[in-house]
Amino acid sequence: MLLHSVGIDIEMTIERSYLEAGSLTEGLLKHVFRNTLENYQVELDNIKRQFNHDDLTFPEKIVVLSFHD
């Protein structure tokens, strides 16, 4: 069995708020998910035949909770 582990390491200057890093990460993940859905449908269908699952969906705007929430 092949197992991959993926991590995201962000080094950036925060100019206004730590939420800037969250916004950057949100944009990156949305780009990866959209690209995967648009360009790898054959592979996703093959995986779905072997491991039945719902299609990947993600909201256009994510909910951001503050530290106090």
Side-chain angles (χ1 to χ4, degrees):
M1 178 162 87
L2 181 61
L3 176 65
H4 284 276
S5 183
V6 177
I8 299 173
D9 182 19
I10 298 174
E11 295 182 25
M12 63 183 282
T13 301
I14 302 211
E15 296 182 7
R16 286 178 241 93
S17 167
Y18 68 93
L19 294 174
E20 294 172 47
S23 177
L24 178 75
T25 304
E26 176 186 358
L28 171 67
L29 292 175
K30 284 182 178 179
H31 174 76
V32 169
F33 293 151
R34 282 189 190 113
N35 186 293
T36 300
L37 290 172
E38 291 172 5
N39 298 312
Y40 296 96
Q41 195 58 53
V42 171
E43 291 82 354
L44 292 170
D45 290 341
N46 289 336
I47 293 169
K48 190 171 185 175
R49 273 196 295 279
Q50 187 166 359
F51 304 101
N52 191 23
H53 60 83
D54 294 333
D55 290 334
L56 171 66
T57 60
F58 53 95
E60 198 53 42
K61 182 67 179 151
I62 65 166
V63 176
V64 178
L65 301 174
S66 70
F67 178 76
H68 300 289
D69 292 337

